[in-house]
Coordinates of all heavy atoms in Angstrom, one line a residue:
L36 N 6.1 3.0 -11.4 CA 6.6 1.7 -11.8 C 6.5 1.5 -13.4 O 7.4 1.0 -14.0 CB 5.9 0.6 -11.1 CG 6.3 0.4 -9.6 CD1 5.3 -0.5 -9.0 CD2 7.7 -0.2 -9.5
T37 N 5.4 1.9 -13.9 CA 5.2 1.7 -15.3 C 6.2 2.5 -16.1 O 6.7 2.1 -17.1 CB 3.7 2.2 -15.7 OG1 2.8 1.3 -15.0 CG2 3.5 2.1 -17.2
R38 N 6.4 3.7 -15.6 CA 7.4 4.6 -16.3 C 8.8 4.0 -16.2 O 9.6 4.1 -17.1 CB 7.4 6.0 -15.7 CG 8.2 7.0 -16.4 CD 7.9 8.3 -16.0 NE 8.7 9.2 -16.8 CZ 8.5 10.5 -16.9 NH1 7.5 11.1 -16.3 NH2 9.2 11.3 -17.7
Q39 N 9.1 3.4 -15.0 CA 10.5 2.9 -14.8 C 10.8 1.6 -15.5 O 11.9 1.4 -16.0 CB 10.7 2.8 -13.3 CG 12.1 2.6 -12.8 CD 12.9 3.9 -12.8 OE1 12.4 4.9 -13.1 NE2 14.2 3.8 -12.5
V40 N 9.8 0.6 -15.4 CA 10.1 -0.7 -16.0 C 9.2 -1.1 -17.1 O 9.4 -2.2 -17.6 CB 10.0 -1.8 -14.8 CG1 11.0 -1.5 -13.7 CG2 8.6 -1.9 -14.3
G41 N 8.2 -0.3 -17.5 CA 7.4 -0.7 -18.6 C 6.0 -1.1 -18.1 O 5.7 -1.1 -16.9
E42 N 5.2 -1.5 -19.1 CA 3.8 -1.9 -18.8 C 3.7 -3.0 -17.8 O 4.5 -4.0 -17.9 CB 3.1 -2.3 -20.1 CG 1.6 -2.4 -20.0 CD 0.9 -1.0 -19.7 OE1 1.5 0.0 -20.2 OE2 -0.1 -1.0 -19.0
L43 N 2.9 -2.9 -16.8 CA 2.7 -3.9 -15.7 C 1.6 -4.9 -16.0 O 0.6 -4.5 -16.5 CB 2.4 -3.2 -14.4 CG 3.4 -2.1 -13.9 CD1 2.9 -1.5 -12.6 CD2 4.8 -2.7 -13.7
S44 N 1.8 -6.1 -15.7 CA 0.8 -7.1 -15.9 C -0.3 -6.9 -14.9 O -0.1 -6.3 -13.8 CB 1.4 -8.5 -15.8 OG 1.8 -8.8 -14.5
E45 N -1.5 -7.5 -15.1 CA -2.6 -7.4 -14.2 C -2.2 -8.0 -12.8 O -2.5 -7.5 -11.8 CB -3.8 -8.1 -14.7 CG -4.5 -7.3 -15.8 CD -5.8 -7.9 -16.3 OE1 -6.5 -8.5 -15.5 OE2 -6.1 -7.8 -17.5
S46 N -1.4 -9.2 -12.9 CA -1.1 -9.8 -11.6 C -0.1 -9.0 -10.8 O -0.1 -8.9 -9.6 CB -0.5 -11.2 -11.9 OG 0.7 -11.1 -12.6
T47 N 0.8 -8.3 -11.5 CA 1.7 -7.4 -10.8 C 1.0 -6.2 -10.2 O 1.3 -5.8 -9.1 CB 2.8 -6.9 -11.8 OG1 3.5 -8.0 -12.3 CG2 3.8 -5.9 -11.1
V48 N 0.1 -5.6 -10.9 CA -0.8 -4.5 -10.4 C -1.5 -5.0 -9.2 O -1.5 -4.3 -8.1 CB -1.7 -4.0 -11.5 CG1 -2.7 -3.0 -10.8 CG2 -1.0 -3.3 -12.6
E49 N -2.0 -6.2 -9.2 CA -2.8 -6.8 -8.1 C -1.8 -7.0 -6.9 O -2.2 -6.7 -5.7 CB -3.4 -8.1 -8.5 CG -4.3 -8.7 -7.4 CD -5.5 -7.8 -7.0 OE1 -6.0 -7.0 -7.8 OE2 -5.9 -7.8 -5.8
Q50 N -0.6 -7.4 -7.1 CA 0.3 -7.6 -6.0 C 0.7 -6.3 -5.4 O 0.7 -6.2 -4.2 CB 1.6 -8.2 -6.6 CG 1.6 -9.7 -6.8 CD 2.9 -10.2 -7.3 OE1 3.3 -9.9 -8.4 NE2 3.5 -11.0 -6.5
V51 N 0.9 -5.3 -6.2 CA 1.2 -3.9 -5.6 C 0.0 -3.4 -4.9 O 0.1 -2.8 -3.8 CB 1.6 -3.0 -6.7 CG1 1.7 -1.5 -6.2 CG2 2.9 -3.4 -7.4
N52 N -1.2 -3.6 -5.4 CA -2.4 -3.1 -4.7 C -2.7 -3.8 -3.3 O -3.3 -3.3 -2.5 CB -3.7 -3.3 -5.6 CG -3.7 -2.2 -6.6 OD1 -3.3 -1.1 -6.4 ND2 -4.3 -2.6 -7.8
Q53 N -2.1 -5.0 -3.2 CA -2.3 -5.8 -1.9 C -1.3 -5.4 -0.9 O -1.4 -5.7 0.3 CB -2.2 -7.3 -2.2 CG -3.3 -7.8 -3.1 CD -4.6 -7.6 -2.5 OE1 -4.8 -7.8 -1.3 NE2 -5.6 -7.3 -3.3
L54 N -0.3 -4.6 -1.2 CA 0.8 -4.2 -0.3 C 0.3 -3.2 0.8 O -0.5 -2.3 0.4 CB 2.0 -3.6 -1.0 CG 2.8 -4.4 -2.0 CD1 3.8 -3.6 -2.7 CD2 3.5 -5.6 -1.2
P55 N 0.7 -3.4 2.0 CA 0.3 -2.4 3.0 C 1.1 -1.1 2.8 O 2.1 -1.1 2.0 CB 0.8 -3.1 4.3 CG 1.8 -4.1 4.0 CD 1.4 -4.5 2.6
V56 N 0.6 -0.1 3.4 CA 1.2 1.3 3.2 C 2.7 1.3 3.5 O 3.4 1.9 2.7 CB 0.4 2.3 4.1 CG1 1.1 3.7 4.0 CG2 -1.0 2.4 3.7
D57 N 3.2 0.7 4.5 CA 4.6 0.8 4.8 C 5.4 0.1 3.7 O 6.5 0.6 3.3 CB 4.9 0.2 6.2 CG 4.6 -1.3 6.3 OD1 3.7 -1.7 5.7 OD2 5.3 -2.0 7.1
A58 N 4.9 -1.0 3.1 CA 5.6 -1.7 2.0 C 5.6 -0.8 0.8 O 6.6 -0.7 0.0 CB 5.0 -3.0 1.7
L59 N 4.5 -0.1 0.6 CA 4.4 0.9 -0.6 C 5.5 1.9 -0.5 O 6.1 2.4 -1.5 CB 3.0 1.5 -0.7 CG 1.9 0.7 -1.3 CD1 0.6 1.4 -1.2 CD2 2.2 0.3 -2.7
E60 N 5.7 2.4 0.8 CA 6.7 3.4 1.0 C 8.1 2.9 0.6 O 8.9 3.5 -0.1 CB 6.7 3.9 2.4 CG 5.5 4.7 2.8 CD 5.4 5.1 4.2 OE1 6.3 4.7 5.0 OE2 4.4 5.7 4.6
F61 N 8.4 1.6 1.0 CA 9.7 1.0 0.7 C 9.8 0.8 -0.8 O 10.9 1.0 -1.4 CB 9.9 -0.3 1.5 CG 10.1 -0.2 2.9 CD1 9.3 -0.8 3.8 CD2 11.0 0.7 3.4 CE1 9.4 -0.7 5.2 CE2 11.2 0.8 4.8 CZ 10.4 0.1 5.7
L62 N 8.7 0.4 -1.4 CA 8.7 0.1 -2.9 C 8.9 1.4 -3.6 O 9.7 1.5 -4.6 CB 7.4 -0.5 -3.3 CG 7.2 -0.8 -4.8 CD1 8.4 -1.6 -5.4 CD2 5.9 -1.4 -5.1
G63 N 8.3 2.5 -3.1 CA 8.5 3.8 -3.7 C 10.0 4.3 -3.8 O 10.4 4.9 -4.7
E64 N 10.7 3.9 -2.7 CA 12.2 4.2 -2.7 C 12.9 3.2 -3.6 O 13.8 3.6 -4.3 CB 12.7 4.2 -1.3 CG 12.2 5.3 -0.4 CD 12.7 5.2 1.0 OE1 13.7 4.5 1.3 OE2 12.0 5.8 1.9
A65 N 12.6 2.0 -3.5 CA 13.3 0.9 -4.2 C 13.2 1.1 -5.7 O 14.1 0.8 -6.5 CB 12.9 -0.4 -3.8
L66 N 12.0 1.5 -6.2 CA 11.8 1.6 -7.6 C 12.7 2.5 -8.3 O 12.9 2.4 -9.5 CB 10.3 1.9 -7.9 CG 9.8 3.3 -7.7 CD1 10.1 4.3 -8.8 CD2 8.3 3.2 -7.5

Side-chain angles (χ1 to χ4, degrees):
L36 285 168
T37 300
R38 187 169 184 164
Q39 193 78 3
V40 300
E42 196 65 34
L43 305 176
S44 69
E45 287 184 33
S46 64
T47 300
V48 171
E49 185 61 30
Q50 283 181 293
V51 172
N52 282 331
Q53 296 299 319
L54 294 173
V56 174
D57 61 332
L59 282 175
E60 291 174 2
F61 291 126
L62 178 56
E64 291 179 21
L66 72 82

